[in-house]
Amino acid sequence: MNDADVLIVGGGPAGSSLACTLARAGIDVHVVDRARFPRAKPCAEYLSPEASRLLASMGALERVEATGAAALAGVRVRAPNGAVIAGDFVASHGFRGFRDRGLSVRREILDDILVDCARTHGARVTEGVRVTGLATDTKGRVNGVTTLDSTIKARLVIGADGLRSVVARRLGLARAQRWPRRLALVTHYSGVGDVGEHGEMHVERDGYVGIADVGNGLTTVALVVPARRSNEISGDRAGFLHAWLMARPHLAPRFARAERATPVVATGPFASHSRRAWAPGAALVGDAADFFDPFTGEGIYAALRGGELLGEWALESLSAKTERVADKALASYDAARRK
Ligand SMILES: Cc1cc2nc3c(=O)[nH]c(=O)nc-3n(C[C@H](O)[C@H](O)[C@H](O)COP(=O)(O)OP(=O)(O)OC[C@H]3O[C@@H](n4cnc5c(N)ncnc54)[C@H](O)[C@@H]3O)c2cc1C
């Protein structure tokens, strides 16, 4: 017997967005996540103005703003030679997004609200459950997942389990990219000097660092460096990050009196993508489908939008009378996603 119509592995932005779309349409949705929320996620924590449209449709926007999230006017990128390019969301180009400002908020706060919205819309959410593999029928069609001690059956299984997705790997769809191989170190500081209303990206010859106000007196700092430096990092992440910042004459004075407020978390290498985002009985969304380089700052938007898009096609797949038609809807999702 099926445990749910749709089983979503992962309750991050992609899984929660999809769960909201499907639960609102009356589908029986079960989200399982290995973590317990609120949980941290290594991220520079910046959302472009268009992401606010998706947060609003989930019922999350006002809740996120009420936590004291920072509103960003735009982004400044500093090149290794000191040249700065500044882009404002509202400028003479005439384009206006859903909001005039972007948002910057700790993932611990954002993702907790998103998963709670999924619950509010009627999805079941089970935390602390790690999916280890897939269950299939005699024809090889996915019909559930396995955990350490059970099998959970569903008509449709979704891999929204982020980087190194177990669902994508078990489907044989995951491909590690050889380039660029990078690692990230992410933390929050209080007391950083001159943090304004723009997100900052400082590009250096040996990596780049994103810096932004995330509200409530904290600044997120996300450093990305080549993976070959992993040995230096593993001994002392916090020391490595601090030394990297203090070695930049334009950053050192701003961090001279700053204090680290959260542990330094590391992630990577993170360049990966899937050959396609569906298989019979299953689909992938968010980072599980493909990863956006952190430099773009669009991973959360893409995950939220991917969830919304997959929701439309999953409804079509679930209402299909034959497996062939159901799979065709999933293939159409993949085509729409790439477009
Ligand atoms: C250094 C860095 C900086 C970034 N900065 C930005 C930024 O500023 N702005 C931006 O928009 N994007 C940024 N991104 C990208 C962004 O973090 C991701 O694109 C986004 O989190 C993808 O959401 P998701 O829901 O697909 O995956 P995730 O947010 O990773 O969620 C996946 C969920 O699946 C769960 N899970 C994983 N495996 C299992 C399993 N086996 N069983 C059960 N549950 C499982 C996890 O616990 C997690 O909750 C950054 C990424 C990195 C690495």
Side-chain angles (χ1 to χ4, degrees), residues 54-80:
L54 296 153
L55 296 184
S57 86
M58 293 170 73
L61 184 57
E62 282 184 8
R63 289 179 64 183
V64 172
E65 287 174 335
T67 66
L72 296 183
V75 178
R76 291 182 195 279
V77 181
R78 183 187 187 279

Side-chain angles (χ1 to χ4, degrees), residues 153-171:
K153 291 285 186 80
R155 289 172 62 200
L156 184 59
V157 170
I158 306 297
D161 46 344
L163 280 175
R164 290 176 287 284
S165 157
V166 124
V167 178
R169 281 185 281 136
R170 297 290 183 266
L171 289 172

Side-chain angles (χ1 to χ4, degrees), residues 109-263:
I109 296 171
L110 174 71
D111 291 22
D112 193 38
I113 292 175
L114 296 182
V115 85
D116 192 56
C117 287
R119 268 197 189 103
T120 306
H121 286 295
R124 263 179 298 150
V125 180
T126 309
E127 301 175 32
V129 174
R130 178 186 291 270
V131 167
T132 53
L134 297 174
T136 53
D137 66 14
T138 49
K139 290 178 286 177
R141 183 182 186 79
V142 177
N143 63 4
V145 300
T146 55
T147 69
L148 288 176
D149 51 14
S150 68
T151 299
I152 311 175
K153 291 285 186 80
R155 289 172 62 200
L156 184 59
V157 170
I158 306 297
D161 46 344
L163 280 175
R164 290 176 287 284
S165 157
V166 124
V167 178
R169 281 185 281 136
R170 297 290 183 266
L171 289 172
L173 296 177
R175 284 212 171 145
Q177 269 168 229
R178 289 219 199 114
W179 184 90
R181 282 182 62 78
R182 293 176 179 149
L183 300 175
L185 295 175
V186 184
T187 190
H188 301 94
Y189 281 85
S190 62
V192 180
D194 292 334
V195 179
E197 55 180 15
H198 287 79
E200 303 171 30
M201 191 66 92
H202 299 262
V203 185
E204 299 288 335
R205 299 203 189 281
D206 58 345
Y208 60 87
V209 66
I211 297 173
D213 178 9
V214 280
N216 302 305
L218 291 181
T219 302
T220 188
V221 176
L223 171 66
V224 177
V225 293
R228 64 173 182 276
R229 304 201 68 178
S230 61
N231 283 347
E232 292 165 72
I233 292 169
S234 59
D236 178 9
R237 294 171 183 173
F240 181 93
L241 174 61
H242 195 69
W244 197 97
L245 293 168
M246 296 316 272
R248 322 287 139 176
H250 62 288
L251 291 176
R254 297 176 59 191
F255 281 85
R257 287 205 202 105
E259 279 185 27
R260 198 163 47 73
T262 59

Side-chain angles (χ1 to χ4, degrees), residues 25-97:
I27 301 295
D28 180 18
V29 186
H30 187 180
V31 180
V32 294
D33 200 298
R34 67 183 175 194
R36 291 189 187 278
F37 292 82
R39 57 112 180 85
K41 155 87 179 82
C43 184
E45 304 179 317
Y46 145 85
L47 289 92
S48 58
E50 198 57 16
S52 292
R53 177 182 68 77
L54 296 153
L55 296 184
S57 86
M58 293 170 73
L61 184 57
E62 282 184 8
R63 289 179 64 183
V64 172
E65 287 174 335
T67 66
L72 296 183
V75 178
R76 291 182 195 279
V77 181
R78 183 187 187 279
N81 66 1
V84 175
I85 307 167
D88 285 354
F89 298 126
V90 177
S92 54
H93 47 59
F95 173 79
R96 299 293 279 266

